Amino acid sequence: MNRTVYVNGDYLPEAEAKVSVFDRGFLMADGVYEVTSVLDGKLIDFDGHAKRLHRSLSELDMAAPCTDEELLAMHRELVVLNGIDQGMIYLQVTRGNPGDRSFVFPDASVKPTIVAFTQNIPNLADAPAAKTGFKVISIPDIRWGRRDIKTVQLLYPSMGKMMAKKAGVDDSWFVEDGAVTEGTSNNAYIVKGNKIITRQLTSDILHGITRASVLRFAAEAQFEVEERPFTIAEAQAADEAFSTAASIFVMPVVEIDGQAVGTGKPGPVATRLREIYLDEMRKAAL
Ligand code: PDD
């Protein structure tokens, strides 16, 4: 691949883009990130992602590397420079390079590192997986207690994805104290009758930007939304299940721990919410 990527103010060929070995993102996973999807060459839910980035930064006492206007211009420039019609923009901000390794945060004179790159995914909206749905397994949630901050500490979610792969399925849903928290890189939902049930927003889960939009559209479409924890047994007995994230939009979940959910095929509610989400977000794309 020969992408043009963004590093600290410069647009460079990917082979020339460099970050220091002393960068705290590399040494300490001391960084936060956002993934924004691109449809028709436009950014989906950019404002939501920019807002969450600022929240993640401020929860970690990290300075914002640029203004929202600069962030938007940079995202748009990457889309243009890389000719992206459908895909994603990955953005990462770290606490920068203090010139040595230390557990102490560097002082304010050390500038944050900001990196962004595109991922070209021509069939993002029309993903084959959305037609068959995800199969998931449940695994214990042993992540740290501030999952509401979108940090780059993704080792356990990555291990969870590998556990799913080994089990011959698509993803893992994390379980803590008997209830589902979220998927490895998505929020988790079940559907019972007219009701959509998903865990409430606390530090137990990431406050998904897709989640916020999907729940708004669900309420507008006269679904009842209940924000509370649910168990794997309840999910297996539900009419439908699904996951949401910028990378998958609304993804039906058709099997949990080897047991079919509902008919074992993508259900009408998840399918409809996916359609509404894509329609509405395309209209509002920047
Ligand atoms: N992941 N929960 C977790 C743990 C996530 O990592 C993500 C997103 C979500 C959904 O958030 P949003 O709707 O804002 O994308 C929930 C991104 C896509 C990733 O790591 O690639």
Side-chain angles (χ1 to χ4, degrees):
M1 243 184 287
N2 194 13
R3 284 173 288 199
T4 299
V5 306
Y6 177 90
V7 187
N8 297 327
D10 295 324
Y11 296 91
L12 298 169
E14 60 181 44
E16 287 170 32
K18 304 250 171 7
V19 173
S20 167
V21 294
F22 299 113
D23 195 279
R24 287 184 57 92
F26 178 66
L27 294 179
M28 303 275 187
D30 188 359
V32 300
Y33 76 107
E34 283 297 330
V35 175
T36 303
S37 49
V38 177
L39 291 177
D40 315 317
K42 289 186 172 167
L43 303 162
I44 301 299
D45 237 335
F46 176 82
D47 290 343
H49 289 286
K51 209 163 157 199
R52 187 175 59 193
L53 175 73
H54 286 298
R55 181 176 180 277
S56 294
L57 289 168
S58 88
E59 289 298 305
L60 296 175
D61 285 328
M62 274 167 68
C66 58
T67 66
D68 279 2
E69 291 71 32
E70 287 166 337
L71 207 57
L72 175 59
M74 179 263 270
H75 275 64
R76 282 179 159 157
E77 185 70 7
L78 282 177
V79 168
V80 172
L81 289 173
N82 293 284
I84 304 295
D85 179 56
Q86 290 191 36
M88 291 185 278
I89 305 214
Y90 176 87
L91 166 76
Q92 179 168 328
V93 181
T94 79
R95 208 181 299 272
N97 164 22
D100 203 351
R101 180 176 181 269
S102 166
F103 282 80
V104 177
F105 288 177
D107 65 43
S109 66
V110 174
K111 282 206 190 116
T113 299
I114 174 166
V115 163
F117 58 82
T118 53
Q119 290 188 257
N120 188 31
I121 309 169
N123 62 355
L124 186 63
D126 215 16
K131 292 182 185 73
T132 51
F134 268 11
K135 294 178 178 173
V136 305
I137 53 169
S138 61
I139 61 170
D141 197 339
I142 60 164
R143 297 172 300 162
W144 79 323
R146 289 303 308 272
R147 303 159 194 158
D148 56 314
I149 308 173
K150 199 164 172 57
T151 73
V152 296
Q153 304 172 75
L154 296 177
L155 181 54
Y156 188 63
S158 191
M159 289 167 76
K161 200 75 178 171
M162 292 312 293
M163 288 181 227
K165 229 180 138 178
K166 246 190 187 157
V169 299
D170 305 288
D171 199 20
S172 294
W173 275 11
F174 295 131
V175 173
E176 185 173 59
D177 298 332
V180 174
T181 50
E182 59 188 333
T184 56
S185 53
N186 47 70
N187 291 116
Y189 308 71
I190 57 174
V191 181
K192 195 77 187 163
N194 192 47
K195 204 183 279 177
I196 292 165
I197 302 158
T198 193
R199 199 179 176 100
Q200 69 276 23
L201 296 179
T202 63
S203 52
D204 296 341
I205 61 169
L206 186 74
H207 301 191
I209 302 306
T210 318
R211 177 188 183 280
S213 295
V214 166
L215 292 187
R216 190 175 73 245
F217 299 140
E220 282 167 14
Q222 308 302 321
F223 289 104
E224 201 185 320
V225 173
E226 197 173 312
E227 294 180 73
R228 63 162 173 85
F230 58 85
T231 64
I232 287 292
E234 193 182 3
Q236 288 169 323
D239 299 333
E240 292 182 39
F242 63 92
S243 288
T244 67
S247 49
I248 52 171
F249 306 125
V250 178
M251 180 61 69
V253 169
V254 296
E255 186 190 291
I256 303 173
D257 286 340
Q259 204 163 305
V261 180
T263 62
K265 298 215 166 76
V269 175
T271 304
R272 182 147 166 248
L273 285 175
R274 184 179 175 91
E275 279 165 15
I276 298 174
Y277 180 82
L278 286 171
D279 279 357
E280 294 299 321
M281 297 318 287
R282 274 189 150 123
K283 279 188 230 158
L286 290 178

